[in-house]
Structure formats: structure tokens, C-alpha cells
Amino acid sequence: MEISTLATYHCLAFVWYFFVAYSITHVKTEERPSEVFLYGGQWKYLTVLNLVLQAVFYGVSFLADVLRLIKKLRCAKRVISSRDLLFSVLAFPVSTFVCISFWTLYTYNRELVYPKSLDGVIPLWLNHAMHTAVLPFALLEILALPHRYPAKKKGLILLGFVAFLYISWVLWIYSVTGEWVYPLFALFSPPGLAAFFAGSLAVIISFYNFGEFLNRMIWGQSKFCS
């Protein structure tokens, strides 16, 4: 794909994610159901954090494209390195995890992740923007250009560290409020919850490996942006 086309795509994707993140963080206070948006606000939900993550990623990607267009190749190389690390370790596996885990649990019992009371607050288009469109965007990014993945150990350590930070945030919220971020967590005993978190980490690691596999199958080992 031409750099100018990539720049246009990344710019539009950045604007889209910024708009979606803005929309969900400006739900009117008086319309919010009592059981959601309490301590931690929207920032306790992985879905919302992922929107911010995607906006940052596409902003960095757009910056890399602009630097390449104006021939600032030395600066572009450093930005591209950050872009690829952000995509491989976080943007792809997290967006894939958000989409697949949300709709799996929603199909099983929506009250565990997305109470029906939210239907009157969050429009259908915004629900799909947060939980559905994130996966096609991630797949399109892999098709659009190759990304250099870090050494497997480094990538998994970074991914595991970010997962640890989010789990710590969830546990902190529970220690303060006595309420779980997602009603699903209340179904587990402490050992069961630990097993659930471990299983979720294993799933997101599998998505990391899947992204690396797709990148390699589509672009090979040696074709990377420079």
C-alpha cells in the first residue's frame, strides 16, 4: 500500500477511535444505570481502555507515515519501531480479546458483561463500534502493512505486565467498592477467579501468537517497513 494511502487510512482510523472514545466517555451522568460507571468510571472497563489504546496506536502510525512522506527517515524509523511494538504486543491481541470474549459471554448471558440496562444509554452503533469493529480494524492493519514483532520473550513479558496491571486495577476497585467491574467475577471463588484470570491471560497470549502467525504468513520473515 502506498504511504499516502496508509497515511489517509491511519488518520481516519485515529479520528474514528478518538470519536468513539469521546462518545463513550461523555455518556450523560443522569442516564447512567446505578450499577455501572461508579468508582473508576469508564476507565475500569477493558473495552474503553482498548479504545484509547487503538487511538494512540493509529496516532503513532499516522505520525510514522507523515515522517516517511516528508523524508524524515531517521525519525520515522524510531516511530515505526514504537508502532510495531504497540501493535504486536497490545493493539492486536487486546482488540481481538475484547471482541471475541465480549460476544462469547454476551451470547451466553449478557448480564455477566453488558447489562440490559445499558441498551437505553449506549446506542447499538456504539456497542458495535466498541466490541465488534475493533477486530476488523486489527485484521485490516495486518493486511495493510507488515509489522516487526519483538523477540517472543520480550513480547510476552510486556503483554503479561500490562495484563498484571489491569488485573491489579480490577482487584483494587473491588477492594475499595466491594463490587466487581464485571458481574461475571462474582460467580467465582478466589481460586476460581485466579484460574479465570490465568485462563484469560492464556487466551490473550494465543491471540498474540495468532497475530504473529498472520503477519508471517502474509508478509514472510523479511519484508518489513523501514
Side-chain angles (χ1 to χ4, degrees):
M1 189 179 292
E2 295 293 330
I3 299 177
S4 58
T5 304
L6 279 174
T8 301
Y9 164 65
H10 285 144
C11 181
L12 291 175
F14 168 75
V15 171
W16 166 252
Y17 274 113
F18 184 87
F19 170 70
V20 174
Y22 177 87
S23 299
I24 192 61
T25 55
H26 284 75
V27 174
K28 293 181 180 178
T29 304
E30 62 272 15
E31 294 179 352
R32 297 173 182 175
S34 59
E35 68 270 24
V36 296
F37 300 138
L38 298 176
Y39 184 89
Q42 293 95 331
W43 307 111
K44 62 186 177 182
Y45 297 110
L46 184 60
T47 294
V48 178
L49 295 175
N50 181 56
L51 295 176
V52 176
L53 167 64
Q54 301 302 322
V56 170
F57 165 71
Y58 282 106
V60 171
S61 297
F62 177 61
L63 175 60
D65 298 335
V66 170
L67 290 172
R68 293 176 69 196
L69 283 171
I70 63 176
K71 306 301 182 182
K72 299 289 186 179
L73 299 182
R74 182 174 298 179
C75 293
K77 188 173 182 179
R78 290 194 290 267
V79 176
I80 287 172
S81 179
S82 298
R83 178 203 69 190
D84 288 348
L85 186 65
L86 191 59
F87 178 78
S88 60
V89 175
L90 294 177
F92 182 85
V94 173
S95 60
T96 306
F97 180 82
V98 164
C99 178
I100 293 179
S101 63
F102 175 82
W103 288 112
T104 298
L105 292 169
Y106 185 98
T107 302
Y108 174 72
N109 182 355
R110 66 169 297 175
E111 295 298 319
L112 297 177
V113 289
Y114 194 82
K116 193 172 179 61
S117 56
L118 286 176
D119 287 346
V121 179
I122 300 176
L124 182 62
W125 75 265
L126 187 51
N127 181 20
H128 283 292
M130 294 188 297
H131 297 116
T132 308
V134 292
L135 181 55
F137 266 104
L139 294 173
L140 181 57
E141 179 66 20
I142 283 186
L143 293 172
L145 74 162
H147 297 83
R148 186 179 297 277
Y149 272 67
K152 182 62 67 71
K153 183 178 179 179
K154 177 182 178 181
L156 294 182
I157 288 175
L158 289 174
L159 178 57
F161 178 70
V162 172
F164 172 78
L165 289 180
Y166 181 69
I167 292 172
S168 298
W169 175 227
V170 168
L171 295 176
W172 171 257
I173 292 173
Y174 178 75
S175 71
V176 172
T177 67
E179 299 290 337
W180 288 110
V181 171
Y182 298 103
L184 169 69
F185 297 159
L187 301 178
F188 296 102
S189 64
L193 189 62
F196 177 82
F197 285 147
S200 297
L201 178 59
V203 170
I204 203 169
I205 287 174
S206 72
F207 292 147
Y208 170 91
N209 290 327
F210 179 62
E212 185 178 31
F213 169 79
L214 286 180
N215 187 72
R216 185 172 63 251
M217 289 298 99
I218 294 170
W219 299 103
Q221 293 282 8
S222 59
K223 185 179 180 182
F224 293 100
C225 293
S226 58

